[in-house]
Amino acid sequence: MRNARPRAEERYNEAHGRTRQIIEWTFGLLKARFRCLHLTGESLFYSPKKVCQIVVACCMLHNLALCRHVPFLQEEEAVDGRVAAVDPVDSEDDEAQDEEEDNRSAVIRQYFQ
């Protein structure tokens, strides 16, 4: 039995994978529309709070553009619209990793069992 896991953990991993695909697709759309997000070298050099504000503003502007039928950049002008894989954040803090594991376990127990 290789890599045996409880069914709840398998369901959590499946849901997590589907959600991640949607998030990566969404960021791909935003990066295709807003070059300030695409040409950042995979990071915005602002505080996490400011980055959240920038992303929320881009989402609101994207929704407004959809309502007003504003097209994306023309294909030849657009920068590669593929979404890059997101690398996991390396945490050197053992306490933070323990807390992340506890949170993950709590989510699995609450929603996937």
Side-chain angles (χ1 to χ4, degrees):
M1 215 191 306
R2 76 179 177 177
N3 217 5
R5 294 186 179 147
R7 181 65 188 136
E9 189 171 339
E10 288 177 16
R11 290 198 330 259
Y12 167 83
N13 288 339
E14 291 166 6
H16 185 266
R18 286 191 306 270
T19 303
R20 183 176 171 151
Q21 287 175 339
I22 292 168
I23 296 299
E24 288 179 358
W25 177 77
T26 301
F27 276 113
L29 283 175
L30 292 174
K31 288 167 81 173
R33 189 177 291 275
F34 300 102
R35 303 214 36 187
C36 65
L37 296 176
H38 184 74
L39 299 176
T40 61
E42 300 300 325
S43 62
L44 294 172
F45 297 105
Y46 299 101
S47 69
K49 183 176 180 179
K50 178 63 86 177
V51 170
C52 289
Q53 291 171 337
I54 291 169
V55 171
V56 168
C58 288
C59 289
M60 294 171 70
L61 290 170
H62 174 72
N63 289 340
L64 183 62
L66 289 177
C67 289
R68 302 218 173 158
H69 307 289
V70 176
F72 282 85
L73 294 173
Q74 294 299 319
E75 198 63 38
E76 59 272 3
E77 296 175 23
V79 181
D80 180 9
R82 292 180 296 165
V83 179
V86 178
D87 293 328
V89 175
D90 288 332
S91 174
E92 295 180 8
D93 185 1
D94 288 337
E95 190 174 308
Q97 285 181 334
D98 290 343
E99 184 178 345
E100 290 170 7
E101 272 186 38
D102 292 344
N103 290 339
R104 181 177 182 273
S105 295
V107 168
I108 290 171
R109 277 193 311 275
Q110 185 171 355
Y111 297 105
F112 293 94
Q113 287 187 340

